[in-house]
Amino acid sequence: MSILALIMIILAYLLGSISSAVLICRMCQLPDPRQQGSKNPGATNVLRVGGKAAAVGVLVSDILKGMIPVWFSYYLGIEPLMLGFIGVAACLGHIYPIFFHFKGGKGVATAIGTMAPIGFDLTGMLMATWLITFFTTRYSSLAAIVTTLLAPFYTWLVKPQYTIPVAMLSCLIIFRHYANIKRLIDGSEPKVKSKSQAKHH
């Protein structure tokens, strides 16, 4: 491993450790997403506790946390396998943030961000899979799991040299959704309603 790759892995972890959900909720004077709803500091839970605008801000920020270090590393000429480790580092930062007591989100948006530099075709397939699954089922977790499982296959179709790094990311995200998988199987996983929808129920 080169010194440059090691530096980018550390920087990716530190960038990933910045919790967009917590900071945006503080700026918007919303409840702490770690204390409300599913207690997960991610876009889906911010949608529950703070509405659509805050959730979109979190989603975009979380995607950029993954995209920026991988894209920058790509232009520095770092090899595909190391780009995979840089992507994993960004996701580990999001999941186990050093700045927020190692209690973070599920890493889905950040993982999509790390895969985005592979190509818009891959990003489009990932986003389409997530959206179709989500709007069909209203389960954010199921949409994430299905998208994550298909990501290595999509990558193999588009740019096979990135299949192993993407598969590494997929394993990490599936592991992080272990509790959601259990709830989906036993029927206790909650469907997603926004703050405005919840008020009408």
Side-chain angles (χ1 to χ4, degrees):
M1 184 188 295
S2 69
I3 296 294
L4 183 60
L6 182 61
I7 291 168
M8 289 309 300
I9 286 169
I10 294 166
L11 289 176
Y13 172 77
L14 293 174
L15 184 62
S17 290
I18 299 169
S19 180
S20 316
V22 175
L23 296 178
I24 286 173
C25 284
R26 281 180 190 168
M27 282 165 42
C28 300
Q29 297 183 316
L30 295 167
D32 189 328
R34 297 169 297 178
Q35 309 296 330
Q36 302 280 328
S38 67
K39 297 183 171 58
N40 178 57
T44 303
N45 198 36
V46 172
L47 177 67
R48 290 191 186 100
V49 303
K52 291 178 183 175
V56 169
V58 172
L59 180 65
V60 171
S61 300
D62 285 350
I63 288 172
L64 287 174
K65 287 195 307 188
M67 187 185 294
I68 289 168
V70 175
W71 219 320
F72 192 60
S73 301
Y74 174 79
Y75 282 110
L76 289 173
I78 292 173
E79 63 189 62
L81 187 61
M82 285 299 109
L83 291 179
F85 284 117
I86 291 161
V88 168
C91 290
L92 283 171
H94 180 82
I95 295 168
Y96 305 108
I98 193 170
F99 306 128
F100 293 87
H101 311 292
F102 300 100
K103 292 178 181 176
K106 297 288 173 67
V108 179
T110 305
I112 288 174
T114 66
M115 296 178 203
I118 294 173
F120 289 116
D121 39 10
L122 175 63
T123 308
M125 287 190 285
L126 293 172
M127 298 296 274
T129 303
W130 193 94
L131 289 167
I132 290 165
T133 310
F134 176 72
F135 285 111
T136 303
T137 67
R138 302 301 298 187
Y139 287 116
S140 173
S141 56
L142 182 62
I145 291 160
V146 170
T147 305
T148 302
L149 287 171
L150 288 172
F153 174 68
Y154 290 158
T155 307
W156 178 74
L157 291 176
V158 177
K159 286 189 180 171
Q161 68 269 35
Y162 293 102
T163 304
I164 291 174
V166 169
M168 288 160 47
L169 273 170
S170 295
C171 289
L172 179 63
I173 303 302
I174 293 295
F175 169 75
R176 194 70 177 89
H177 280 80
Y178 172 74
N180 301 89
I181 294 167
K182 283 181 69 177
R183 289 196 295 269
L184 284 164
I185 290 168
D186 66 27
S188 62
E189 179 77 345
K191 293 192 176 185
V192 175
K193 294 187 180 78
S194 70
K195 192 180 180 185
S196 58
Q197 286 177 307
K199 285 179 180 175
H200 292 101
H201 285 74

